[in-house]
Amino acid sequence: MLVAAAVCPCPPLLVPEVAAGAAFELDALRAACTDALGVLAAARPALLVVVGPAGQGGGGAFPQGAPGSFRGFGVELDVRLGQGAVEGPALPSSLAVGAWLLERTGRWDVPVEGLGVEETLAPERCAETGRELAARAGRVALLVMGDASACRTVKAPGYLDERAESFDAAAARALGAADLAAVRALDAGLARELKASGRAPWQILAGAAEGADLDGALLHEDAPYGVGYLVATWS
């Protein structure tokens, strides 16, 4: 059963070494993510799964100790998913950011696994995947990585789309209230047009939370680079 979840954005700029001189601009976002992970730790899960978007062909399960890297962003920084080390495919960047968040917030004495999700995954399949994750252990926690729209300003990666602000507001309300129906109702086609990478991971969370009766809290909402960043907890 799902006992807690933290929802965090996944821009590599969250890592100060990647952001370099602009790192201070996301200090408040990092602090909110740290608070969200504190909720996961307090829930004392038996299994922690990091769920995040992956490019086409880059999805699938990643075991504890899977390697990740930020070298593609010009930084000699490597991470591992939880404790230990295994050889295998590198984590997609969203899971690498999740692994970095876990490393910076302390030692996790529980199994930590990863799941990369293709952003085109249908809502029905997202719900099924969430239910499967929740059934993995008696106390499951999810670290759910993903951004809201990338179309909030003319300088955003997806340029300005007038629909982006209302989409992000609906996502923030749904995640902040742990409203499963509202999360499931987020339009997959619109999310794809707005480059909202969090849609599929969020809907996996909604599937995992069925029957768990969790309360939600929205800790942070901003769009500093024209990309919506949301931080929320369910517990």
Side-chain angles (χ1 to χ4, degrees):
M1 171 177 274
L2 184 72
V3 295
V7 176
C8 295
C10 57
L13 289 175
L14 200 58
V15 179
E17 292 87 342
V18 175
F24 70 94
E25 296 176 1
L26 295 183
D27 281 348
L29 177 58
R30 292 186 196 96
C33 290
T34 298
D35 290 343
L37 265 65
V39 171
L40 295 187
R44 303 182 67 180
L47 172 67
L48 173 59
V49 183
V50 185
V51 181
Q56 188 171 6
F62 292 85
Q64 178 163 310
S69 174
F70 295 97
R71 294 174 185 269
F73 301 97
V75 175
E76 293 188 6
L77 176 63
D78 299 317
V79 293
R80 290 279 179 177
L81 192 60
Q83 299 183 41
V86 298
E87 298 301 322
L91 299 169
S93 65
S94 67
L95 298 190
V97 174
W100 176 82
L101 284 172
L102 291 173
E103 286 187 1
R104 77 186 292 266
T105 53
R107 184 180 179 88
W108 293 78
D109 294 320
V110 299
V112 180
E113 300 177 7
L115 179 64
V117 183
E118 293 196 9
E119 296 175 36
T120 56
L121 192 67
E124 298 79 12
R125 183 55 188 147
C126 289
E128 294 172 6
T129 300
R131 288 190 286 268
E132 292 166 0
L133 288 177
R136 292 276 312 279
R139 298 184 64 82
V140 176
L142 298 182
L143 173 54
V144 182
M145 310 298 295
D147 300 340
S149 73
C151 301
R152 294 282 293 270
T153 68
V154 294
K155 293 185 178 181
Y159 197 67
L160 176 66
D161 190 311
E162 299 294 344
R163 302 170 296 175
E165 187 171 355
S166 61
F167 176 90
D168 289 357
R173 286 193 300 270
L175 293 169
D179 186 333
L180 307 191
V183 174
R184 286 194 294 262
L186 294 173
D187 187 275
L190 178 59
R192 188 161 53 252
E193 292 175 15
L194 297 177
K195 303 183 184 300
S197 68
R199 190 276 310 173
W202 299 337
Q203 290 182 332
I204 287 174
L205 168 60
E210 292 177 7
D213 193 26
L214 301 180
D215 293 324
L218 184 66
L219 306 187
H220 187 87
E221 179 183 6
D222 201 1
Y225 308 122
V227 181
Y229 296 150
L230 304 174
V231 180
T233 58
W234 292 15
S235 62

